[in-house]
């Protein structure tokens, strides 16, 4: 379908889960086979509507995220990939829940050139998994990772969480020790947050008392970063660590302002310097596509200098930082005021034409970002 035009990444939001986790703020609904069929029909229309763009682009990565993409049948993923018809060597990632996994499915996905798996582990401490109301055990997560590897997908990322209710150094150390025993290439490390609309948010007054306080939180983060580095995982983005050569190409695109198109309800896109989001409801998404209306529910195109400031803030998440000359060549000139702010910032290391977060900046990125945007 595609030529070798401008680089483009594709994101498919699979909005199905078997159970809603109490901390999750992503759009998802209970999985049903007939909904999967309707979803696929809608995605096909959406892909067809954007056929011209896809044909003129060089598709460089595909990501199936969710929700729970591993709930989908292989046929659904095959149908989508057949339409996109990507080159055989691009990064294609699928998120996998240890609870909803089968070896046969992974083997079939591997045959479709899916070459990267991202497993929602969260913790290797069964007590914390219970608190997070996950349906898998630590043992199950480890077995799934090994099975994925045996099925031939050797580029495996895991999600881990810190600042979990009741988490202490001992528990986290146990989780980090397990990492050493796994054949994985990438780790995404997140802290638990209480997002509006979640069950944890509703009960936050009680739960927040049990969340690690600032000093412990910092200790947990430092423990994780030093353990990962010892094991050969380099921190290449604020919350991402990878073995050499296994940085997520798809995710790097988000931070480097590569164009990407999002399919499925609630999926974001960034295209032609415009950011937009699909409607956060499967039924509405389907109805819009059926009646040839737009699926976009929100869009914004920032004007200069806000666009540059936002790009800078996002790009600074990458630990290597920014080459100012290259950045300006690609995106336009950095406002003098912003450059001055960055030069004087306590969160930034400035070296000739290069800026990057310093130690403090890695810890307080959100403060810096809010100063910039
Ligand atoms: S955390 Fe993952 S499995 Fe849980 S509800 Fe959210 S998307 Fe579904």
């Amino acid at each position: 379908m595609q030529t070798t035009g401008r680089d483009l990444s594709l994101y498919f939001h699979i909005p199905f889960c078997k159970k809603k986790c109490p901390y999750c703020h992503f759009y998802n609904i209970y999985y049903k086979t007939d909904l999967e069929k309707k979803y696929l029909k809608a995605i096909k229309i959406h892909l067809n509507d954007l056929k011209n763009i896809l044909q003129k682009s060089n598709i460089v990565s595909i990501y199936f995220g969710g929700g729970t993409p591993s709930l989908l049948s292989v046929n659904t993923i095959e149908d989508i990939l057949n339409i996109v018809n990507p080159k055989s060597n691009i990064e294609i990632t699928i998120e996998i829940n240890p609870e909803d996994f089968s070896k046969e499915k992974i083997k079939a996905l591997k045959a479709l050139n899916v070459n990267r798996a991202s497993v929602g582990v969260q913790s290797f401490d069964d007590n914390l998994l219970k608190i997070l109301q996950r349906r898998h055990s630590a043992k199950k997560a480890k077995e799934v990772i090994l099975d994925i590897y045996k099925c031939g997908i050797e580029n495996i990322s895991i999600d881990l969480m810190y600042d979990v209710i009741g988490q202490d150094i001992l528990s986290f150390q146990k989780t980090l020790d397990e990492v050493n025993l796994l054949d994985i290439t990438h780790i995404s490390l997140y802290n638990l947050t209480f997002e509006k609309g979640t069950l944890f948010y509703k009960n936050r007054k009680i739960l927040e008392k049990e969340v690690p306080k600032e000093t412990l939180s910092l200790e947990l983060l430092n423990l994780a970063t030093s353990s990962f580095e010892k094991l050969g995982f380099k921190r290449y983005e604020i919350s991402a660590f990878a073995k050499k050569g296994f940085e997520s190409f798809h995710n790097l695109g988000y931070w480097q302002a590569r164009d990407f198109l999002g399919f499925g309800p609630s999926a974001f896109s960034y295209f032609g310097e415009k950011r937009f989001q699909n409607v956060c409801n499967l039924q509405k998404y389907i109805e819009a596509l059926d009646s040839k209306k737009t699926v976009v529910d929100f869009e914004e195109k920032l004007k200069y200098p806000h666009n540059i400031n936002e790009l800078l803030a996002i790009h600074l998440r990458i630990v290597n930082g920014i080459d100012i000359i290259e950045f300006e060549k690609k995106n336009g000139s950095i406002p003098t005021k912003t450059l001055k702010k960055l030069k004087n910032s306590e969160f930034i290391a400035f070296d000739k034409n290069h800026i990057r977060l310093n130690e403090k900046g890695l810890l307080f990125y959100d403060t810096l970002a809010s100063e910039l945007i």
Side-chain angles (χ1 to χ4, degrees):
M1 189 181 206
Q2 51 163 325
T3 62
T4 51
R6 216 175 135 92
D7 284 357
L8 176 71
S9 290
L10 305 183
Y11 173 78
F12 292 90
H13 185 75
I14 317 299
F16 306 117
C17 288
K18 283 266 180 80
K19 186 182 166 290
K20 182 85 181 167
C21 301
Y23 56 88
C24 179
H25 64 288
F26 295 120
Y27 170 70
N28 45 50
I29 50 174
Y30 187 71
Y31 174 78
K32 284 187 189 153
T33 322
D34 65 316
L35 284 180
E36 176 174 348
K37 285 190 187 133
K38 288 181 186 166
Y39 170 82
L40 177 62
K41 190 170 160 250
I43 292 287
K44 284 181 177 174
I45 301 173
H46 200 174
L47 282 166
N48 191 51
D49 289 350
L50 300 180
K51 193 166 67 187
N52 285 344
I53 296 174
L54 297 175
Q55 279 172 346
K56 282 184 202 141
S57 304
N58 178 30
I59 295 167
V60 290
S61 69
I62 299 175
Y63 196 103
F64 294 96
T68 312
S70 50
L71 280 173
L72 291 186
S73 72
V74 173
N75 287 348
T76 296
I77 304 229
E78 187 171 15
D79 277 6
I80 294 172
L81 290 177
N82 279 344
I83 297 171
V84 176
N85 190 19
K87 289 178 192 148
S88 60
N89 58 349
I90 67 161
E91 183 184 283
I92 305 182
T93 304
I94 184 157
E95 286 180 359
I96 291 175
N97 258 348
E99 310 93 317
D100 306 291
F101 163 85
S102 89
K103 275 194 240 175
E104 291 63 39
K105 212 180 254 188
I106 295 298
K107 278 186 200 153
L109 291 174
K110 163 82 177 138
L112 295 173
N113 289 331
V114 174
N115 48 24
R116 187 170 181 272
S118 174
V119 188
V121 172
Q122 316 311 345
S123 172
F124 287 110
D125 180 333
D126 283 334
N127 289 330
L128 294 194
L129 287 171
K130 273 191 202 117
I131 289 171
L132 294 170
Q133 296 179 27
R134 299 296 304 216
R135 291 181 291 128
H136 66 271
S137 63
K139 186 168 169 272
K140 175 73 182 167
K142 284 183 273 182
E143 284 167 4
V144 164
I145 291 164
L146 188 62
D147 282 340
I148 295 171
Y149 189 84
K150 282 188 189 157
C151 290
I153 297 185
E154 294 172 7
N155 189 0
I156 303 173
S157 176
I158 62 169
D159 285 352
L160 289 180
M161 225 183 233
Y162 71 104
D163 281 357
V164 181
I165 299 149
Q167 192 174 35
D168 58 21
I169 294 280
L170 207 66
S171 149
F172 201 39
Q173 187 63 60
K174 232 168 69 184
T175 286
L176 300 175
D177 289 346
E178 295 290 352
V179 171
N180 191 16
L181 308 171
L182 301 169
D183 272 316
I184 56 168
T185 52
H186 189 279
I187 302 160
S188 295
L189 179 73
Y190 300 99
N191 57 334
L192 175 70
T193 51
F194 294 86
E195 303 290 335
K196 265 193 189 152
T198 64
L199 188 65
F200 275 3
Y201 182 82
K202 215 167 130 192
N203 300 327
R204 67 193 180 284
K205 287 214 172 94
I206 303 165
L207 296 175
E208 269 168 358
K209 289 181 194 146
E210 306 297 324
V211 164
K213 303 278 173 290
E214 215 178 311
T215 324
L216 177 56
S217 168
L218 198 62
E219 274 181 64
L220 294 171
L221 178 62
N222 286 337
L223 187 63
T225 50
S226 59
S227 302
F228 298 157
E229 304 237 336
K230 269 187 221 148
L231 296 175
F233 293 90
K234 191 170 179 294
R235 189 179 196 180
Y236 71 99
E237 191 267 347
I238 290 182
S239 58
F241 302 75
K243 293 251 173 85
K244 198 168 186 293
F246 288 98
E247 297 82 7
S248 164
F249 185 73
H250 182 87
N251 290 349
L252 275 170
Y254 293 146
W255 305 311
Q256 291 170 333
R258 184 194 306 143
D259 281 344
F260 69 92
L261 289 175
F263 296 84
S266 82
F268 275 95
S269 300
Y270 178 76
F271 191 80
E273 292 171 26
K274 205 192 273 178
R275 195 174 303 286
F276 45 99
Q277 187 184 21
N278 299 338
V279 61
C280 292
N281 178 295
L282 179 60
Q283 199 47 42
K284 286 186 182 160
Y285 179 74
I286 292 170
E287 281 165 14
L289 287 160
D290 278 343
S291 54
K292 302 206 174 313
K293 290 193 183 130
T294 178
V295 292
V296 174
D297 191 36
F298 154 87
E299 70 173 50
E300 68 174 1
K301 184 170 183 170
L302 295 179
K303 291 206 178 89
Y304 189 85
H306 304 291
N307 59 343
I308 299 292
N309 290 342
E310 191 190 79
L311 286 180
L312 273 171
I314 295 170
H315 203 131
L316 274 169
R317 292 187 64 96
I318 299 176
V319 172
N320 277 350
I322 297 172
D323 180 298
I324 292 175
I325 296 173
E326 288 298 316
F327 180 91
E328 292 194 320
K329 224 189 275 171
K330 189 175 163 214
N331 305 299
S333 62
I334 299 174
T336 321
K337 208 169 135 191
T338 306
L339 211 50
K340 203 171 156 199
K341 200 189 273 179
L342 287 168
K343 272 187 181 168
N344 295 327
S345 169
E346 58 187 316
F347 304 121
I348 292 288
F350 207 104
D351 179 22
K352 290 182 194 143
N353 282 314
H354 203 94
I355 45 170
R356 62 173 175 79
L357 296 176
N358 57 21
E359 288 286 312
K360 202 168 174 185
L362 283 166
L363 286 175
F364 299 103
Y365 166 79
D366 288 345
T367 313
L368 172 78
S370 62
E371 282 172 7
L372 274 178
I373 297 173

